Amino acid sequence: MRRFRLSSLFVGLLILPFVQAQAEVVQVTGRAPVEGALSYAREQAMEDALHQASLQAGAQISGMQLMEKGVVSTDTVRVSTRSQVSDVEILREDTVNGMYEVTIRADVDEAALCPASVQSYRKAVAVAGFGLAQPQQATLGRLENIEQGLPRWLAAELNSGGGVHALDATRISLYQDPRRAPSAETAQQRLTTSVALATQLGAQYVVSGVVRDLALHTPQKTGFASRLMGFSSAPTRDFVMDVFVHDGLSGAMLFQRSYRTEGQWEAPRNEKTGFATPQFWATSYGNEVADILKRAAGDVDEMLRCQPFMARIVRARGNRLHIEASAAAGLRPGDTLKVYRTGTLYNLDLEPRTELTDMAAEAVVKQVQPQFVIAELGGPAERLAIQRDDMVIAW
């Protein structure tokens, strides 16, 4: 009988975090044992110092635990970084208690831990409607359409990047009271409605958000000389929004960030400007909002690149699997996907958690249809008890 080595991972651990730090000057000390030539110990200590310096700008931590017959056979933790270290200055070198020590000062440049080359498949992302925390602030300029207009613009920006396939779900609002989002959901910020939406649309992740502030600040009256020369100051308007990304499988929060800017609102007071109209973008305020939205889209796109590609199995019969992934995902015949079984685990508070078990099996893509993908296993799916709602994953 063929034995399979199973690996059980929780979804919260399976998702790799995105870490990005600002460029900075760091001072660290590298150490290495003096066991032979002093020059070799110095070289090893310098490598240790450079590695520590790069970790100062952020690290990616991933773990894997393999189980066989209920016993942990392998338990590994890996720390990686892609930060760039430059302008290294050696401050001190010495041998202390059999260890060679090198203290350096260096510039550590900001570097994304997940470059585009890491994952080539486009993840399906449902972009839901954004809540408006203070609707009365949208009256001036008639910006009430921001609840759908903003996420629709965000979805278009995400699609233009090519890293994700953003689906328009802006007609759906996930928060009954935007003022309390997302803390109004479950105690650990698990948005159960995001799971239902992701399942409905075949999405892997759900992007949502709240527009917190659109307040207008009327400028102080100008002096007589300024009025005489025709100078006037347009009012300043705030723009504050929160953006959230939830995992569509477990509902877990993967990303939460607040964005804030302001700009002059030069539109006539009685004009029905509307959000994302030519009149809106023509204002200084519109330019500032466009910049912040592009930044938010870039942050979401970069974060999602760190996540594995995942898709649900919608049918398993014989050695053939039907997978809920569209042609837009970028899958091609011959690609291989790892198969995971889904299950439910309850924590000490009896809260359900989604668990994925590595079935040590691969499915090879055979056909790519517009709305689904057909893949084949090396043996019958029944032998591994693979069924509907199990998952395939590409790292």
Side-chain angles (χ1 to χ4, degrees):
M1 180 181 296
R2 184 182 178 186
R3 295 195 310 171
F4 292 92
R5 186 169 64 171
L6 305 183
S7 171
S8 298
L9 304 98
F10 300 112
V11 172
L13 296 179
L14 190 146
I15 304 300
L16 303 179
F18 166 73
V19 183
Q20 182 169 332
Q22 299 296 322
E24 58 180 328
V25 178
V26 300
Q27 180 175 320
V28 295
T29 300
R31 297 177 177 84
V34 181
E35 297 176 339
L38 199 63
S39 59
Y40 179 76
R42 181 182 185 275
E43 180 182 344
Q44 295 298 305
M46 179 63 74
E47 288 186 6
D48 181 53
L50 293 174
H51 181 66
Q52 290 190 49
S54 65
L55 290 177
Q56 295 286 330
Q60 186 177 38
I61 303 175
S62 59
M64 181 177 66
Q65 189 179 77
L66 299 178
M67 301 183 66
E68 190 169 2
K69 294 183 178 181
V71 178
V72 177
S73 60
T74 304
D75 194 354
T76 61
V77 176
R78 182 173 59 194
V79 180
S80 60
T81 174
R82 293 185 177 90
S83 302
Q84 301 295 321
V85 180
S86 60
D87 295 332
V88 179
E89 178 186 358
I90 298 177
L91 303 179
R92 184 183 66 86
E93 295 184 67
D94 200 0
T95 302
V96 181
N97 297 326
M99 301 290 291
Y100 199 95
E101 296 185 353
V102 177
T103 300
I104 66 171
R105 181 188 293 122
D107 292 339
V108 183
D109 297 328
E110 181 179 16
L113 291 178
C114 295
S117 59
V118 170
Q119 177 56 256
S120 59
Y121 301 135
R122 298 179 71 192
K123 290 104 178 173
V125 179
V127 182
F130 275 43
L132 187 56
Q134 302 182 69
Q136 70 278 7
Q137 293 182 342
T139 302
L140 183 65
R142 303 303 301 267
L143 302 185
E144 294 88 350
N145 67 324
I146 196 171
E147 294 182 293
Q148 287 77 43
L150 189 155
R152 192 169 290 124
W153 192 97
L154 195 63
E157 187 70 15
L158 287 171
N159 279 326
S160 68
V164 301
H165 179 211
L167 306 171
D168 189 341
T170 56
R171 67 189 184 282
I172 300 173
S173 177
L174 301 183
Y175 307 103
Q176 293 183 354
D177 186 354
R179 294 171 300 176
R180 301 175 59 198
S183 59
E185 306 306 323
T186 62
Q188 296 192 359
Q189 293 184 325
R190 293 177 179 271
L191 192 62
T192 54
T193 48
S194 70
V195 177
L197 179 60
T199 303
Q200 175 187 346
L201 297 179
Q204 187 178 343
Y205 304 102
V206 176
V207 176
S208 61
V210 175
V211 179
R212 300 287 184 189
D213 195 359
L214 297 173
L216 196 77
H217 302 285
T218 303
Q220 295 181 350
K221 293 182 178 180
T222 57
F224 174 76
S226 297
R227 292 197 300 270
L228 184 64
M229 297 180 65
F231 295 135
S232 62
S233 179
T236 300
R237 196 165 196 172
D238 294 333
F239 179 82
V240 181
M241 73 170 180
D242 291 347
V243 177
F244 316 117
V245 180
H246 287 84
D247 173 44
L249 177 63
S250 64
M253 173 86 74
L254 301 181
F255 176 89
Q256 177 178 3
R257 189 164 298 175
S258 183
Y259 298 88
R260 179 187 301 269
T261 189
E262 63 180 22
Q264 287 188 314
W265 180 257
E266 300 99 341
R269 193 169 187 85
N270 296 327
E271 181 182 79
K272 298 179 180 180
T273 309
F275 180 80
T277 63
Q279 296 88 342
F280 178 86
W281 299 126
T283 64
S284 300
Y285 179 76
N287 288 331
E288 296 294 334
V289 171
D291 289 343
I292 210 73
L293 290 179
K294 290 179 181 178
R295 176 182 157 196
D299 290 345
V300 171
D301 182 73
E302 189 71 26
M303 185 278 301
L304 290 175
R305 271 197 238 135
C306 291
Q307 311 303 323
F309 172 83
M310 305 171 66
R312 294 179 186 270
I313 296 172
V314 295
R315 183 182 180 184
R317 179 173 296 179
N319 68 336
R320 176 164 287 198
L321 303 178
H322 283 72
I323 299 167
E324 192 170 32
S326 70
L331 289 166
R332 295 292 182 266
D335 291 350
T336 58
L337 304 168
K338 292 184 177 296
V339 180
Y340 283 74
R341 182 186 297 155
T342 59
T344 302
L345 179 77
Y346 292 89
N347 65 9
L348 295 177
D349 296 324
L350 298 181
E351 295 175 330
R353 296 289 181 266
T354 301
E355 182 182 19
L356 299 177
T357 301
D358 185 356
M359 302 309 297
E362 290 186 341
V364 181
V365 175
K366 296 298 182 181
Q367 298 181 36
V368 178
Q369 304 285 349
Q371 294 183 317
F372 62 89
V373 169
I374 298 176
E376 291 184 358
L377 296 165
E382 292 79 9
R383 188 171 65 186
L384 298 175
I386 297 172
Q387 56 190 353
R388 180 185 176 92
D389 281 339
D390 287 341
M391 307 291 295
V392 291
I393 298 177
W395 297 92

